[in-house]
Amino acid sequence: MPIVRKMSEIAVLGAGVVGLTTAVLLQSEIPDAKITVVADKFTIDTLSDGAAGIFRPGTSFSGPNPEITRQWLFDSYQHYYKIYKSSEAAKAGVIEASGYVYSKEFPEITKNHFLEGLLPVYRPATPSELKLCPGDWKYGAFFTTLVIESRYHLPWLTNKFEKAGGKVVIRNVERLDELAGQFDAAVNCTGFGAKKLCMDNKLVPIRGQVYKVKAPWVKMFFYGDYDTYIIPGVDYVTLGGSRHFDSYRKDWDDHDGAGILERCYEILPNLKQAEIVRKWSGLRPHRDPVRVEKEVLQVGNSTLKVVHNYGHGGYGVTTAPGTSKYAVALVKEFLENKISSKL
Ligand SMILES: Cc1cc2nc3c(=O)[nH]c(=O)nc-3n(C[C@H](O)[C@H](O)[C@H](O)COP(=O)(O)OP(=O)(O)OC[C@H]3O[C@@H](n4cnc5c(N)ncnc54)[C@H](O)[C@@H]3O)c2cc1C
């Protein structure tokens, strides 16, 4: 008798950069599955929307071990570089950018062991390059990387997902086990929402604040001391930033805002002419390590197979493809087990 295999139904909970990237990768890796993205916020209402989107993991970024962490970063860069080289780059909002990291006090800020082996160019700044911007910069590095503009990238991913038959549902999920019985597996990409859904004490908000300004003459990125950055995107330049560990405050803070402008103007004084188009603050979902793992939830007499993919902190745009590829492999393990246990 032929074996009749039911089409697997998979929910991706979350429509930020992590959820949408996961959903699209699931479609290509498990083409016979039915994928549904379930979320209560989309595009401009997500945290992902406000990120500067630069591919630059912090040196403390960590997965479960150093090998997996490096693999996530390698896979992420390859993923975005492929898009950047393709005819889809403009629609997907993936651009290349070069620039400097400067410091007056801390040589370690200018080093990044992840990027040094990954990017085509990552080298110390020359003495004349340290004088390109006002300020007595003592240490510096120059590198070339990618910027992924969420304002373009999220709609591009959504469009790709829907065109390939994916379904999008607007829904707030109070508990993960609500999805039991409706799906064979769920991938939890809820970012900071996982704090409540998983009662995860390791997930900590790191509040951040940025301006988006109109400054088309700025073509390079610049980082300075004390979390200062100027990052050109597709339409606007992001001026940042701030980092407040364990702060739940979501609204704009004028005092932090004034500090950001003062520090950015010191590096590029001509930014004083730039029109401010948006003031934005958000809570980075920080977790050490980022959680990408399987869990089977017991729900009454049945179970829900969950793969978690959250806690990317300040590096979710950078690392979404790598962690999502890993999460998709875990979903496949779940489904293969299910099929073999039925045979
Ligand atoms: C100021 C600032 C600058 C940043 N700059 C960069 C940068 O340059 N580069 C970089 O890589 N990263 C940057 N980040 C970090 C980046 O924004 C995050 O890591 C990333 O957006 C996390 O993506 P996510 O998909 O996990 O979460 P989100 O974008 O928050 O998406 C979560 C999704 O889950 C849904 N959800 C949550 N809970 C529920 C629920 N209970 N029911 C239904 N749906 C739910 C939400 O509606 C949403 O769709 C920055 C962050 C900040 C604050």
Side-chain angles (χ1 to χ4, degrees):
M1 236 174 81
I3 300 163
V4 181
R5 274 173 55 180
K6 180 181 154 280
M7 184 188 265
S8 297
E9 295 215 24
I10 306 167
V12 175
L13 190 53
V17 67
V18 176
L20 293 176
T21 304
T22 300
V24 168
L25 289 179
L26 278 169
Q27 285 177 320
S28 65
E29 287 297 310
I30 316 178
D32 56 352
K34 213 170 141 190
I35 320 287
T36 305
V37 168
V38 179
D40 59 0
K41 288 191 183 130
F42 295 85
T43 55
I44 59 167
D45 296 321
T46 63
L47 178 80
S48 302
D49 180 71
I54 192 163
F55 188 97
R56 185 184 182 240
T59 51
S60 63
F61 175 80
S62 65
N65 63 50
E67 290 70 37
I68 292 176
T69 308
R70 279 198 182 271
Q71 189 65 48
W72 285 352
L73 289 165
F74 176 83
D75 289 341
S76 296
Y77 187 72
Q78 296 305 315
H79 174 98
Y80 286 130
Y81 194 71
K82 202 171 155 198
I83 298 173
Y84 169 65
K85 282 295 192 187
S86 79
S87 58
E88 291 290 293
K91 281 189 208 148
V94 181
I95 59 173
E96 192 175 60
S98 296
Y100 295 95
V101 185
Y102 291 135
S103 179
K104 291 176 185 170
E105 298 173 57
F106 314 105
E108 53 275 27
I109 291 183
T110 66
K111 304 208 168 28
N112 189 310
H113 63 296
F114 290 133
L115 292 181
E116 279 158 29
L118 194 58
L119 298 179
V121 186
Y122 198 109
R123 59 163 175 79
T126 63
S128 57
E129 286 173 321
L130 291 176
K131 295 193 178 81
L132 284 175
C133 294
D136 189 16
W137 302 107
K138 284 198 170 50
Y139 309 101
F142 171 88
F143 63 99
T144 299
T145 187
L146 298 171
V147 175
I148 300 95
E149 180 75 67
S150 288
R151 194 47 72 92
Y152 287 75
H153 200 63
L154 300 187
W156 178 77
L157 286 170
T158 308
N159 188 34
K160 204 170 152 67
F161 174 69
E162 289 187 317
K163 263 191 169 163
K167 196 172 149 198
V168 175
V169 172
I170 305 171
R171 168 177 164 191
N172 175 260
V173 173
E174 285 292 325
R175 296 161 54 100
L176 284 177
D177 59 20
E178 281 174 30
L179 302 173
Q182 298 170 36
F183 299 97
D184 297 296
V187 191
N188 173 20
C189 308
T190 49
F192 196 62
K195 176 107 189 139
K196 187 176 158 206
L197 283 173
C198 303
M199 287 176 284
D200 187 342
N201 290 324
K202 279 191 164 190
L203 191 58
V204 180
I206 303 183
R207 177 186 147 73
Q209 192 163 296
V210 289
Y211 289 94
K212 303 280 176 180
V213 303
K214 219 185 237 180
W217 60 88
V218 177
K219 302 290 183 201
M220 298 185 87
F221 59 78
F222 296 91
Y223 284 86
D225 287 322
Y226 315 128
D227 250 315
T228 308
Y229 49 87
I230 298 164
I231 300 173
V234 176
D235 299 315
Y236 304 119
V237 179
T238 303
L239 307 185
S242 63
R243 218 171 273 262
H244 298 271
F245 190 79
D246 217 0
S247 167
Y248 285 74
R249 182 175 174 186
K250 280 192 188 155
D251 62 336
W252 179 262
D253 180 282
D254 281 335
H255 184 77
D256 289 350
I260 290 169
L261 290 183
E262 191 183 316
R263 285 179 280 125
C264 290
Y265 291 165
E266 189 198 344
I267 297 177
L268 282 191
N270 65 15
L271 279 171
K272 289 179 191 157
Q273 320 308 322
E275 181 195 338
I276 293 171
V277 292
R278 191 180 183 197
K279 294 172 175 179
W280 181 80
S281 50
L283 306 181
R284 301 172 178 96
H286 170 78
R287 192 180 190 279
D288 188 3
V290 178
R291 188 176 187 199
V292 190
E293 62 187 21
K294 294 193 282 188
E295 185 180 16
V296 179
L297 300 179
Q298 193 64 42
V299 190
N301 289 333
S302 86
T303 55
L304 176 67
K305 290 168 175 160
V306 179
V307 173
H308 299 286
N309 186 9
Y310 67 82
H312 299 65
Y315 316 109
V317 179
T318 300
T319 57
T323 68
S324 302
K325 184 177 172 188
Y326 192 84
V328 168
L330 298 181
V331 173
K332 276 176 134 176
E333 280 178 23
F334 260 151
L335 297 180
E336 278 156 18
N337 282 346
K338 182 190 88 175
I339 289 161
S340 58
S341 67
K342 276 189 171 177
L343 292 177

